[in-house]
């Protein structure tokens, strides 16, 4: 039996950093420790649990099955300790210079970040915001470990210890150049299908939500171009007769500097709902609560 009174809890912080960063060098930078100190801590933890925990794979360290089993309770415990300590302190946004790391996709960043910065620029002038890419399969553990303060994304399956708040969504619209014949009157499904389209997706293959809606009716549109970013697609639209289908909220922002026109999508599609996620250990943390409130207010702008 392992006596908890004889365990250095710093070993688990090192373990979490190596697991997250995939190597001792990167973990040492994250922890602001020397590489020998991190290696020594890992050696002590290996001896304590009787498992190597990580094995060399190319230039990185891969977790063993024991490490995979251990990381969940370790991150939960570290998160709860950090949350408890945070609750002991008073968070004053007017004086704080804290950085909040928020996981979000590019399309969310382009609409959320300008509104969020405008929301806090006067009340929290020193607070720093970091918008970072996140993985939908890993952000739960990133929230639990404190790597991320919050995540904004579509609905994902419920995970233990993760809290969520629904952010109202909007539907899809069709973007076309000024003077495009498709938008001279009401944009019907027949007119929509008669023209060529741009499909925008970060995935290399597969349909977009509008294609799935059309396929359920036995319909298919003509894809002339597939690209990764809506800004690129909007610029192409401005110079061609191609039509672009995209989320309404993003369409108005992206096309503000272009002379494109926006029309409702001719079919009924579910709104693109977004959710705000945070870890349960941060539920009553004054700083995290403040951040969630600012995000909610910014989203309503």
């Amino acid at each position: 039996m392992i006596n908890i009174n004889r365990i250095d809890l710093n070993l688990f912080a090192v373990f979490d950093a190596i697991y997250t960063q995939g190597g001792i060098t990167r973990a040492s930078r994250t922890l602001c420790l020397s590489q020998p100190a991190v290696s020594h801590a890992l050696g002590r933890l290996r001896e304590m649990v009787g498992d190597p925990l990580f094995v060399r794979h190319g230039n990185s360290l891969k977790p063993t099955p024991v490490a995979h089993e251990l990381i969940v309770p370790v991150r939960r415990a570290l998160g709860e300790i950090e949350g408890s300590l945070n609750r002991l302190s008073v968070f004053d946004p007017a004086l704080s210079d804290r950085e909040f790391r928020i996981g979000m996709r590019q399309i969310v960043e382009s609409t959320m970040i300008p509104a969020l910065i405008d929301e806090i620029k006067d009340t929290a002038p020193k607070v720093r915001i970091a918008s970072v890419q996140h993985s939908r399969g890993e952000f739960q553990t990133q929230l639990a470990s404190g790597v991320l303060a919050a995540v904004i994304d579509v609905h994902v399956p419920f995970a233990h210890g993760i809290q969520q708040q629904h952010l109202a969504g909007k539907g899809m619209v069709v973007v076309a150049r000024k003077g495009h014949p498709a938008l001279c009157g009401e944009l019907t499904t027949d007119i929509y299908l008669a023209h060529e389209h741009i499909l925008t997706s970060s995935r290399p293959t597969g349909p977009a939500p509008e294609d799935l809606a059309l396929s359920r009716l036995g319909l298919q549109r003509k894809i002339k171009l597939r690209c990764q970013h809506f800004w690129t697609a909007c610029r192409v639209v401005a110079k061609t007769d191609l039509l672009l289908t995209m989320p309404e909220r993003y369409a108005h922002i992206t096309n503000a500097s272009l002379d494109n026109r926006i029309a409702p999508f001719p079919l009924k599609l579910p709104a693109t709902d977004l959710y705000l996620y945070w870890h349960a250990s941060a539920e009553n943390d004054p700083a995290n609560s403040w951040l969630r409130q600012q995000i909610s207010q910014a989203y309503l702008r």
Side-chain angles (χ1 to χ4, degrees), residues 234-252:
C234 289
R235 293 181 64 192
V236 174
V237 163
K239 302 292 185 180
T240 68
D241 281 339
L242 299 179
L243 299 181
L244 170 66
T245 305
M246 63 185 299
E248 179 181 358
R249 184 184 182 90
Y250 190 44
H252 290 285

Side-chain angles (χ1 to χ4, degrees), residues 288-300:
N288 196 278
S289 296
W290 173 85
L291 176 65
R292 299 196 307 267
Q293 182 181 21
Q294 306 314 303
I295 291 174
S296 299
Q297 292 173 352
Y299 191 80
L300 295 176

